[in-house]
Amino acid sequence: MKINIAIDGHSSCGKSTLAKQIAKELNYVYIDTGAMYRAMALYALQSGFIKQGKLDTNSLISSLDNVYISFKYNPETQSSETFLNTANVEKEIRSMQVSNFVSAVSELKEVRAKLVRLQKRLAEFGGVVMDGRDIGTVVMPNAHVKFFMTADDLVRAQRRFDELRSNGTEISLQEVVQNITSRDTTDSNRTNDPLRKSDDAIIIDNTHLTQEEQFDFAMSHIRRAFESVEKKTEAESGVVE
Ligand code: DC
């Protein structure tokens, strides 16, 4: 029996790290929905739809049929990489330029409708760990396990800052704090599918947790979910111990 696991939460709080660990442990597929919105923002940038810091929403919306976003597994890096049409954009979508526009792009209901449709299709047969902002509420409302992750603003910014600097990005901690907090505000206050904790999600505040502690905590909930699914299946099939 394959279940689905939803992970939502604030920017840069380690959702993808946890999601990848869980997917590896269970041999499930990891789907990074933030990467899809980032690829869409990159498309808007490359197409010249962002001029003088402003997004031309009409042009983006009328070009949506030309955008094809997919993932391909790279055996060398042992992770899946994001493709925009035929180009591998895994690196570009992590740039600060994309981070600065992704919230504006992901606010648009037409963009969300297209990507949510794709995400729902990917989760149709189970065996998926998906992270994002609206996974437990909109994309997989029936997920067997839902986590909502957060951490102190400064701790998140410092982690992201260290990651960007180790990739050679010239940036100040202040800029990272500004980007993270403004994305949280836009993502939480937008009209369409805002970042919101699903009522049945388990909160993980990892401000003071190691990755290992966080993983153990998450896996204990996932194991419990497997047990209850098994019990339910047995009860339905009339198996008595
Ligand atoms: O997970 P991330 O930081 O890479 O996501 C980038 C942006 O994409 C985030 O600021 C908001 C948006 N996003 C969204 O609106 N819905 C999702 N399911 C995932 C991401």
Side-chain angles (χ1 to χ4, degrees):
M1 160 80 191
K2 288 197 165 182
I3 65 169
N4 278 334
I5 299 162
I7 304 182
D8 288 302
H10 294 107
S11 293
S12 300
C13 62
K15 296 186 293 294
S16 66
T17 303
L18 178 63
K20 280 182 201 161
Q21 284 177 313
I22 295 172
K24 191 166 178 213
E25 176 77 13
L26 301 176
N27 205 10
Y28 276 18
V29 176
Y30 163 56
I31 296 163
D32 175 357
T33 64
M36 297 180 176
Y37 290 96
R38 286 173 177 274
M40 193 61 90
L42 181 65
Y43 175 80
L45 279 160
Q46 288 177 343
S47 310
F49 299 155
I50 296 174
K51 285 188 206 114
Q52 284 145 9
K54 249 190 106 21
L55 172 68
D56 175 355
T57 52
N58 289 337
S59 296
L60 177 60
I61 291 166
S62 54
S63 303
L64 283 179
D65 284 345
N66 305 327
V67 188
Y68 179 70
I69 293 166
S70 59
F71 295 107
K72 276 196 196 112
Y73 186 75
N74 179 343
E76 251 171 58
T77 56
Q78 295 194 0
S79 63
S80 92
E81 296 179 338
T82 314
F83 280 70
L84 171 59
N85 295 324
T86 52
N88 183 334
V89 293
E90 188 55 37
K91 275 221 181 82
E92 282 123 295
I93 60 169
R94 313 287 165 194
S95 71
M96 273 316 276
Q97 204 189 11
V98 168
S99 295
N100 286 335
F101 286 106
V102 65
S103 283
V105 168
S106 54
E107 261 186 304
L108 302 174
K109 72 171 189 310
E110 292 82 357
V111 168
R112 303 205 70 81
K114 179 180 170 102
L115 296 185
V116 167
R117 209 180 314 127
L118 175 59
Q119 291 153 10
K120 279 181 183 277
R121 249 199 340 256
L122 292 170
E124 217 170 3
F125 301 109
V128 157
V129 187
M130 197 181 283
D131 77 359
R133 303 294 188 286
D134 57 344
I135 310 305
T137 50
V138 176
V139 181
M140 307 199 304
N142 297 326
H144 296 81
V145 187
K146 299 179 186 176
F147 295 113
F148 187 88
M149 291 177 64
T150 190
D152 181 80
D153 291 2
L154 267 183
V155 170
R156 289 190 283 139
Q158 184 68 52
R159 289 177 189 157
R160 183 88 184 109
F161 173 74
D162 293 342
E163 191 181 274
L164 284 164
R165 290 296 279 249
S166 71
N167 294 340
T169 309
E170 279 297 320
I171 195 160
S172 69
L173 181 60
Q174 195 45 42
E175 275 176 273
V176 180
V177 173
Q178 161 67 27
N179 175 262
I180 285 180
T181 48
S182 85
R183 277 204 288 143
D184 283 348
T185 308
T186 316
D187 296 344
S188 307
N189 295 304
R190 69 183 175 218
T191 316
N192 305 310
D193 311 340
L195 167 63
R196 197 167 54 75
K197 180 191 155 308
S198 176
D199 291 340
D200 50 355
I202 301 144
I203 296 178
I204 303 181
D205 179 337
N206 64 23
T207 308
H208 303 293
L209 290 183
T210 63
Q211 283 182 14
E212 201 183 359
E213 287 167 338
Q214 167 175 279
F215 175 66
D216 289 346
F217 175 79
M219 282 309 299
S220 68
H221 282 280
I222 292 167
R223 284 198 194 94
R224 228 171 288 159
F226 275 120
E227 280 163 20
S228 76
V229 170
E230 268 162 30
K231 269 195 199 127
K232 203 166 157 235
T233 316
E234 278 172 13
E236 279 166 6
S237 63
V239 175
V240 185
E241 290 201 4

